[in-house]
């Protein structure tokens, strides 16, 4: 081989080695980014689950408070006589507790924000 051919081969091999290193570096960066995104998705899912549990507990306490108030009101008010004047009317069922519109709106807003963030993260994962 001539020195010129030898120099060309050496240059090609050097470039090839640099390209392989760069490809490996990019693959490592992509894997690290993927792991970070998966960790973030898991963290958001845990956070979402915790907040949903808090919301359930809060809603449960509201229902319990409403039932206690309804029970107290039932104990205070005497039964009403039936239309025929014989005996007493059956107690009416407890009114169903409703979530206040402002609370429901905050719940829906929070839920949609969490879904938007999750969709954004999933989109980022798909781009990788």
């Amino acid at each position: 081989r001539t020195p010129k051919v030898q120099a060309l081969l050496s240059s090609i091999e050097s470039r090839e080695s640099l390209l392989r290193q760069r490809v490996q570096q990019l693959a490592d960066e992509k894997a690290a980014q993927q792991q970070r995104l998966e960790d973030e998705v898991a963290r958001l899912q845990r956070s979402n689950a915790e907040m949903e549990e808090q919301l359930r507990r809060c809603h449960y306490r509201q229902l319990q408070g409403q039932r206690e108030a309804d029970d107290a009101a039932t104990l205070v008010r005497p039964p009403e006589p039936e239309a025929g004047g014989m005996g007493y009317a059956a107690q009416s069922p407890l009114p169903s507790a409703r979530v206040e519109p402002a609370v429901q709106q905050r719940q829906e807003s929070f839920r949609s924000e969490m879904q938007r963030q999750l969709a954004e993260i999933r989109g980022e994962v798909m781009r990788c």
Side-chain angles (χ1 to χ4, degrees), residues 2 26-27 32 39 44 47 88-89 95 99 102 107 110 113 116 119-120 128:
T2 66
L26 290 172
D39 291 346
L44 287 172
S47 177
Y88 292 97
V99 177
Q107 291 170 350
F110 175 75
E113 175 61 19
R116 185 194 65 75
E120 191 176 287
C128 294

Side-chain angles (χ1 to χ4, degrees), residues 38-49:
E38 288 174 1
D39 291 346
E40 181 68 10
V41 167
R43 185 189 67 74
L44 287 172
Q45 287 173 335
R46 281 190 308 273
S47 177
N48 192 18

Side-chain angles (χ1 to χ4, degrees), residues 60-77:
Y60 176 77
R61 284 193 299 269
Q62 285 177 338
L63 287 174
Q64 287 302 100
Q66 182 65 40
R67 286 184 183 139
E68 289 171 6
D70 290 343
D71 289 346
T74 301
L75 292 174
V76 170
R77 120 180 127 228

Side-chain angles (χ1 to χ4, degrees), residues 49-60:
E50 289 170 4
M51 289 184 164
E52 283 180 359
E53 180 58 30
Q54 289 174 352
L55 188 60
R56 273 192 287 276
R57 279 187 259 138
C58 180
H59 185 69
Y60 176 77

Side-chain angles (χ1 to χ4, degrees), residues 80-126:
E80 298 175 17
E82 287 183 5
M86 306 285 283
Y88 292 97
Q91 291 290 330
S92 61
L94 295 178
S96 62
R98 290 186 205 102
V99 177
E100 294 180 27
V103 172
Q104 187 174 10
Q105 186 177 11
R106 283 194 305 268
Q107 291 170 350
E108 290 171 3
S109 174
F110 175 75
R111 183 174 287 119
S112 71
E113 175 61 19
M114 292 303 291
Q115 288 173 345
R116 185 194 65 75
Q117 289 179 10
L118 186 58
E120 191 176 287
I121 290 169
R122 285 181 177 155
E124 187 69 28
V125 167
M126 293 305 288

